[in-house]
Amino acid sequence: MNRSMIIYVLGTVLKLTGIFLFIPVICSLIYHEQEGLPFFVTGLCSVGLGTLATLHKPENTVFFLREGCIATALSWILLSIVGAVPFFLTGEIPSFLDALFETVSGFTTTGASILPDVEAMSKTALLWRSFTHWIGGMGVLVFLLAIIPMTGGGTINLMRAESPGPSVGKLVPKIRYTARILYGIYMVLTVSMLIILIISGMPVFDSICTSLGTAGTGGFGVKSDSVASYSGILQWIVTIFMILFGINFNGYYLLLQKEWKKALSMEEIRAYLLIIVSATAIITVNVADRFSSIGDALTAAAFQVGSIITTTGFSTVDFDKWPDLSRGILVLLMFIGACAGSTGGGIKVSRILFLFKNTRHQIFAYLHPKSVRPIKMDGHTSDNETIMGIQSFFAAYLLIFVCSIFPLLACGSDLITSFTAVAATINNIGPGLGAVGPMNNFADLNCISKIVLIFDMLAGRLELFPLLVLFSPAIWNEFKK
């Protein structure tokens, strides 16, 4: 176990977090708010502690997937704790557990909030909430790999442990350049959205926060009604960009390389877009009688479908009051999620595709037991490691999901609230149904329920296994040696 390298990574994350905390300080200076001081002090302490932890770079910089999982899980826990401190120190979130819940929700791009009145928050705090989405969307360790030279064969294991999807590879030979390409695409899309929103009439501060929240597919807004009070044009802009950020970024890279045919033929992207179009059409028809025109129904349906499948969590209407068919479709979309290699959460479309392909493969095997017919995705045969990894993911996902529901039920939440609260957090969506619906929040849940959901948010963002590794006694016994 390369303990020194894990500590070095954690120290680097601390320094990076401290630097990030100076951004809301700038906001506080612009708007003359006193809340910037706790952010500055926390950032300074974080940079100082991180510097102490990285004074001596380890001689052995190579670490394997287990070290990558441990470093990733501990980094996200550390990131969340440090990020929560300013909320607590300013007094805007008096309970540290609530502050931690809000911060974990931000970094994991879940968007589940404990704040009853978002507009009562300072602009400094609102910017930090939205910025946590942007940091967590692509991943803090991917950002670290993009800007800091890290040698050794283990850097790909950091990206594999943090990046969403069943498999992660290099776009170019060097992992550092892969990280730079991903963040380059991420930044261009974010800035493009920001400019379009400002041109279309959204206030600058609102545009910044909305762009950061959309880019990370997180859903923290600056208004208590999310984005319902903005015009239909602005809602369509947000809808389009939510869908764009839910697309596999490998597709954008292929477009940059002018490999149009290869990009457009990606099975996952085609299935993702087909699901969005189909769900939007069905819901539009189903809720048409609740709106003054079919255009308004289409706007609301498209927005909520885009928001839920990409696990962004913005809302324009109280979809908890929609007909059962529409609510059922939205709950299903919670589980499907966005594409692998995007900033979205959920199970991922690629895994759902694999599930259908594997089922078809098993039926074919029963009919033709002597035949050999491999499972293929985009023309490539799936190897045993990928197949076993996806099957293990579904097993772990189901186990965590079921085990998370019962503590909420035991604490007094009803079945719909408990089920959708777990679904909304483990899939990093935000709003559920019932007491945690789009027009409500998670503030009334008790401490035990919040701790369970914090775990679910982290597990969902890290694709389960990096966090589960921390519960292995064998890992800690080896870490002590």
Side-chain angles (χ1 to χ4, degrees):
M1 179 75 70
N2 195 342
R3 290 180 297 177
S4 57
M5 193 59 195
I6 293 174
I7 294 171
Y8 184 82
V9 170
L10 294 177
T12 308
V13 169
L14 266 177
K15 288 194 293 185
L16 204 57
T17 306
I19 294 170
F20 288 148
L21 282 165
F22 293 144
I23 292 176
V25 175
I26 298 172
C27 177
S28 70
L29 294 174
I30 293 173
Y31 289 98
H32 307 289
E33 294 178 337
Q34 296 180 348
E35 286 79 5
L37 182 59
F39 284 90
F40 179 77
V41 173
T42 307
L44 208 59
C45 293
S46 184
V47 170
L49 291 173
T51 302
L52 289 174
T54 55
L55 282 176
H56 303 288
K57 189 172 183 179
E59 295 181 4
N60 179 16
T61 59
V62 177
F63 53 106
F64 299 98
L65 185 57
R66 60 182 178 182
E67 283 95 344
C69 289
I70 293 171
T72 299
L74 292 179
S75 293
W76 277 75
I77 293 171
L78 187 62
L79 179 73
S80 300
I81 293 172
V82 174
V85 170
F87 283 138
F88 179 67
L89 293 180
T90 59
E92 295 193 87
I93 304 180
S95 164
F96 186 77
L97 180 61
D98 283 349
L100 183 62
F101 185 97
E102 195 79 9
T103 308
V104 170
S105 180
F107 281 124
T108 59
T109 71
T110 304
S113 180
I114 50 82
L115 296 173
D117 185 8
V118 174
E119 293 173 61
M121 299 284 285
S122 65
K123 283 185 165 55
T124 304
L126 290 175
L127 179 64
W128 177 240
R129 286 173 81 243
S130 297
F131 190 59
T132 57
H133 280 334
W134 195 85
I135 297 169
M138 189 58 67
V140 65
L141 294 178
V142 175
F143 186 82
L144 184 151
L145 293 173
I147 64 172
I148 298 174
M150 293 185 69
T151 57
T155 50
I156 183 63
N157 289 320
L158 280 178
M159 182 173 282
R160 282 175 178 164
E162 185 179 53
S163 299
S167 62
V168 176
K170 302 177 182 178
L171 299 179
V172 291
K174 290 188 176 182
I175 192 67
R176 185 182 181 189
Y177 295 143
T178 296
R180 285 182 175 179
I181 290 170
L182 290 173
Y183 255 98
I185 296 170
Y186 191 43
M187 288 179 179
V188 168
L189 285 173
T190 305
V191 173
S192 299
M193 180 179 180
L194 173 61
I195 293 171
I196 293 172
L197 285 176
I198 293 173
I199 292 174
S200 301
M202 183 179 284
V204 174
F205 182 80
D206 294 23
S207 298
I208 293 172
C209 292
T210 303
S211 297
L212 294 173
T214 305
T217 58
F220 278 157
V222 296
K223 294 182 180 295
S224 297
D225 65 358
S226 191
V227 295
S229 57
Y230 296 117
S231 67
I233 293 175
L234 292 175
Q235 289 177 15
W236 270 108
I237 293 170
V238 175
T239 300
I240 292 169
F241 274 95
M242 285 191 296
I243 294 170
L244 290 177
F245 281 108
I247 289 176
N248 192 323
F249 275 47
N250 287 355
Y252 293 128
Y253 176 73
L254 291 173
L255 291 177
L256 290 174
Q257 298 299 308
K258 298 183 179 179
E259 297 185 43
W260 301 86
K261 187 176 181 181
K262 193 173 180 180
L264 296 175
S265 64
M266 290 179 68
E267 290 184 58
E268 183 182 29
I269 295 178
R270 287 187 296 170
Y272 167 73
L273 296 176
L274 179 61
I275 292 169
I276 290 173
V277 171
S278 302
T280 301
I282 295 171
I283 292 177
T284 299
V285 173
N286 190 230
V287 301
D289 60 339
R290 296 170 181 257
F291 293 88
S292 57
S293 68
I294 193 68
D296 291 340
L298 176 62
T299 299
F303 188 95
Q304 291 309 150
V305 168
S307 179
I308 297 299
I309 194 171
T310 62
T311 69
T312 304
F314 283 136
S315 60
T316 56
V317 295
D318 187 0
F319 55 79
D320 194 15
K321 296 180 180 178
W322 280 0
D324 288 341
L325 174 62
S326 296
R327 293 197 303 161
I329 291 173
L330 291 178
V331 170
L332 180 62
L333 295 180
M334 286 183 182
F335 291 95
I336 294 174
C339 297
S342 70
T343 62
I347 292 174
K348 303 295 182 300
V349 174
S350 58
R351 289 195 180 99
I352 300 298
L353 275 176
F354 175 85
L355 184 64
F356 281 104
K357 286 175 179 283
N358 188 49
T359 303
R360 187 177 63 184
H361 176 267
Q362 293 301 321
I363 294 173
F364 184 84
Y366 275 111
L367 298 175
H368 307 281
K370 294 183 179 181
S371 65
V372 178
R373 188 177 181 181
I375 300 174
K376 292 185 176 183
M377 184 75 77
D378 294 326
H380 301 290
T381 301
S382 299
D383 55 35
N384 289 331
E385 183 181 355
T386 301
I387 294 172
M388 288 298 295
I390 293 175
Q391 291 175 341
S392 299
F393 175 88
F394 276 111
Y397 181 94
L398 183 61
L399 180 64
I400 294 173
F401 192 93
V402 172
C403 290
S404 296
I405 291 176
F406 287 104
L408 272 71
L409 290 171
C411 291
S413 296
D414 62 83
L415 181 59
I416 291 178
T417 297
S418 301
F419 184 89
T420 58
V422 173
T425 50
I426 198 172
N427 293 314
N428 303 134
I429 295 165
L433 300 176
V436 293
M439 298 300 141
N440 298 314
N441 56 62
F442 290 70
D444 292 334
L445 298 179
N446 64 18
C447 295
I448 294 174
S449 298
K450 288 174 183 176
I451 291 171
V452 170
L453 297 180
I454 285 173
F455 173 84
D456 288 343
M457 288 188 281
L458 287 168
R461 175 58 182 83
L462 298 180
E463 303 277 289
L464 309 184
F465 293 106
L467 193 63
L468 292 179
V469 163
L470 296 183
F471 293 88
S472 171
I475 287 292
W476 293 110
N477 290 334
E478 191 172 343
F479 191 82
K480 293 176 183 177
K481 294 179 181 178

